[in-house]
Amino acid sequence: MSNGAPTTVSLKPGITLYLIRHGETDWNRESRYQGQRDIPLNETGLAQARRHGEVLKGIVPSVAGFDFVSSPLQRAVETMRITRSELGLDPEDFQIAPEISELSYGHWEGELAAELPAKDPEGVAGKSSDPYGWRPREGESYQDLEQRVSAWLARLTTDTVAVSHGGVSRVARGALLGIERGIVPFLEVPQDRILKLSGGRMQWI
């Protein structure tokens, strides 16, 4: 079992990360595992993305000088384009970082969470006994995800707005704030808030 705190990572001094989870998709609403499947935003998700741009415009006048980085998955890219449009910035002018793609759920992708106890009781039991270390067939564990996201966090050199995913948000907080691994998979990941991370502290905005 994977216990204890993850390897602690620190952002470089003075850097602030605004981490956005992509807007809602129909699969989110259905509690269907997405992982690295390319699923578009629904109407709620589009509105959430517009909200992120409005909020950033109101609190960070210098945001145009930040780095903007997105996961390559469609729902994150859509969220980034809309967010930048609301900020009055070129919607296409941002970087793509495969390291902040969502956790791969392997053979669980496309499955409804409610149906998995009957379809894959062994997998459900494995995930329940070790939520951080369990790895689906052809997929990743939270521990795997922690390694690639931590490496990305350590490389940031300037204030950054990033659009990513629920799993990435969880392990980023775990790594930067020293949260116990057993708690990390259950951290909240709202799609209508921006997570501000700086100096070992976090704030939802």
Side-chain angles (χ1 to χ4, degrees):
M1 181 175 292
S2 303
N3 293 314
T7 302
T8 302
V9 175
S10 297
L11 294 174
K12 291 181 173 61
I15 289 180
T16 299
L17 171 63
Y18 293 89
L19 186 57
I20 298 170
R21 184 185 178 192
H22 64 80
E24 185 184 80
T25 70
D26 287 343
W27 281 25
N28 288 143
R29 185 170 292 178
E30 297 167 359
S31 295
R32 189 184 296 274
Y33 279 87
Q34 292 182 115
Q36 296 185 358
R37 297 283 188 93
D38 248 339
I39 311 301
L41 301 181
N42 60 22
E43 288 302 315
T44 298
L46 295 171
Q48 289 166 337
R50 290 191 290 271
R51 180 257 177 205
H52 297 323
E54 292 167 1
V55 168
L56 286 172
K57 189 188 322 186
I59 64 171
V60 192
S62 60
V63 71
F66 289 11
D67 279 350
F68 284 76
V69 185
S70 175
S71 153
L73 295 174
Q74 178 182 357
R75 56 195 185 271
V77 169
E78 279 188 292
T79 301
M80 177 62 88
R81 286 173 175 157
I82 294 167
T83 298
R84 284 185 59 85
S85 292
E86 291 296 320
L87 288 165
L89 302 174
D90 180 350
E92 303 296 332
D93 187 15
F94 58 90
Q95 303 167 40
I96 295 292
E99 302 97 318
I100 59 171
S101 294
E102 181 58 297
L103 175 77
S104 170
Y105 275 102
H107 72 293
W108 275 20
E109 292 185 3
E111 298 287 350
L112 290 168
E115 296 179 354
L116 280 169
K119 287 187 171 182
D120 185 14
E122 183 178 342
V124 170
K127 184 174 184 289
S128 178
S129 66
D130 187 5
Y132 207 86
W134 175 78
R135 184 184 293 115
R137 267 195 331 270
E138 301 175 358
E140 294 176 292
S141 67
Y142 268 89
Q143 193 158 1
D144 297 330
L145 181 63
E146 174 201 321
Q147 292 175 4
R148 60 178 167 87
V149 172
S150 292
W152 176 78
L153 291 167
R155 289 198 302 271
L156 296 181
T157 57
T158 191
D159 293 339
T160 301
V161 175
V163 180
S164 190
H165 305 270
V168 172
S169 175
R170 291 183 178 114
V171 299
R173 277 176 277 168
L176 291 171
L177 306 175
I179 299 171
E180 289 184 15
R181 281 177 163 156
I183 296 172
V184 168
F186 305 102
L187 295 174
E188 64 173 335
V189 281
Q191 290 169 297
D192 61 350
R193 292 290 183 272
I194 299 170
L195 179 63
K196 179 182 178 182
L197 292 157
S198 183
R201 296 188 175 188
M202 62 163 280
Q203 177 188 1
W204 290 109
I205 57 176

